[in-house]
Amino acid sequence: MKFKNTFVWLSALLLVVSCKTNPFTGERNLNFVSNDQLFPASFEQYNQFLNEAEVERGSAEAREIQNLGQNIVNAAERYLNANGYQGFMTDFRWEFNLVKDDQANAFAMPGGKVVVYTGILDEAQNTNGLATIMAHEIAHALADHGAQRMSAAQLQQLGAVAGSVAVSGRSESTQQIFAQAYGLGTTVGVMLPFSRGHESEADRIGLTLMAIAGYDPREAPELWKRMQQNSSGQAPPEFLSTHPSTQTRINNLTKWAPEAMAEARKYGTTSFK
């Protein structure tokens, strides 16, 4: 009981002192992994990935990826500066690469390292569609989602250790039951919704950033409609997926697009018809 109480107090203290404000939502999120710790490792892994991948350089598509990425980052800087977050991106080292791969995918790593696969270009179909993809990945990086996931995973491990100690005097079968229940409970109950929350947050932030950069956020749900039509295979149930269902995503993006356009107009973007 003494150990349990100590663990509870330490966990509470950790949660209080290890939160960081999201500059786009104003919410305080769990994050006790500093940029100094995370970014160098991220940059090293990104470079290793590029060394092993077939990076497309010099093509019109590769140049468009780089231009779109920089335009959206510039829009993010305008937003951050206007909202009191000057210098927020000081440690970021933005890089945008197109990789030859048939997967319809893209990803971002902490610190501003972004990859777009050639397989998603047909899905993007146009500049606004590609901007939707790029803005979503840039939003992941800016919202510190990588650090938050690492923080949550470390806290999950800490909870597993504490629980194991609490049942250490019990039978082996009891300990096995705890291990199975803890793994399922934290994965379905915490880690997957946590990831789904990140995806929705990146969608919403990305809409605002692409709109400020002059790209039409109304194209975002159209992109996902194309993804839905071209999807092969049965998607897992939403509650067992790290991503929202495609239809949920379409509904949210449709609802949020007018808000993103209204926000963009505050920054002088009036190119929407």
Side-chain angles (χ1 to χ4, degrees):
M1 181 63 70
K2 183 177 180 181
F3 174 84
K4 182 179 179 181
N5 290 338
T6 301
F7 171 74
V8 170
W9 280 107
L10 286 174
S11 297
L13 180 62
L14 182 65
L15 290 172
V16 169
V17 302
S18 303
C19 289
K20 185 176 178 181
T21 301
N22 184 319
F24 298 95
T25 66
E27 296 178 354
R28 291 187 53 82
N29 304 124
L30 176 68
N31 183 352
F32 49 83
V33 182
S34 70
N35 292 351
D36 290 343
Q37 293 175 294
L38 185 58
F39 285 8
S42 174
F43 299 163
E44 182 178 350
Q45 289 182 17
Y46 185 78
N47 289 335
Q48 181 178 343
F49 169 83
L50 293 182
N51 288 336
E52 298 170 357
E54 188 177 357
V55 181
E56 187 169 317
R57 305 184 190 278
S59 67
E61 291 83 1
R63 289 194 298 271
E64 184 176 26
I65 293 294
Q66 293 170 353
N67 291 336
L68 278 170
Q70 191 57 57
N71 289 343
I72 294 167
V73 166
N74 292 343
E77 188 168 28
R78 290 173 61 195
Y79 178 95
L80 291 166
N81 289 344
N83 288 277
Y85 289 92
Q86 295 87 351
F88 183 88
M89 294 194 293
T90 298
D91 296 330
F92 283 72
R93 299 291 180 267
W94 293 101
E95 190 173 346
F96 310 98
N97 280 290
L98 180 63
V99 168
K100 293 182 180 179
D101 194 300
D102 291 336
Q103 295 182 64
N105 204 2
F107 67 84
M109 296 182 68
K113 304 300 186 181
V114 178
V115 163
V116 175
Y117 290 137
T118 53
I120 207 169
L121 296 180
D122 287 341
E123 303 281 3
Q125 201 171 91
N126 55 53
T127 299
N128 287 318
L130 190 53
T132 299
I133 296 165
M134 298 289 295
H136 174 87
E137 299 305 334
I138 289 168
H140 272 311
L142 287 171
D144 288 329
H145 287 161
Q148 289 176 42
R149 290 181 185 184
M150 286 186 64
S151 299
Q154 290 180 26
L155 199 61
Q156 183 186 37
Q157 291 175 351
L158 184 62
V161 170
S164 297
V165 172
V167 298
S168 59
R170 312 216 174 183
S171 68
E172 182 177 347
S173 61
T174 301
Q175 294 182 48
Q176 290 176 348
I177 291 171
F178 166 80
Q180 293 172 358
Y182 184 86
L184 180 62
T186 54
T187 299
V188 176
V190 179
M191 296 305 289
L192 292 182
F194 193 72
S195 297
R196 287 199 299 274
H198 281 173
E199 290 300 318
S200 294
E201 188 172 270
D203 278 345
R204 195 166 193 173
I205 294 170
L207 281 182
T208 298
L209 296 183
M210 69 179 288
I212 294 173
Y215 304 108
D216 194 338
R218 291 171 296 189
E219 177 60 28
E222 299 306 315
L223 165 70
W224 281 98
K225 288 176 184 177
R226 293 194 294 273
M227 298 282 278
Q228 187 177 51
Q229 291 171 355
N230 297 333
S231 175
S232 59
Q234 182 67 38
E238 183 171 4
F239 78 97
L240 286 176
S241 172
T242 58
H243 290 62
S245 73
T246 303
Q247 191 57 54
T248 295
R249 205 161 209 166
I250 291 169
N251 294 343
N252 286 338
L253 290 167
T254 301
K255 178 177 65 176
W256 294 334
E259 299 174 5
M261 294 165 65
E263 184 68 21
R265 291 188 182 100
K266 298 177 184 177
Y267 297 85
T269 304
T270 57
S271 58
F272 311 116
K273 296 181 180 178

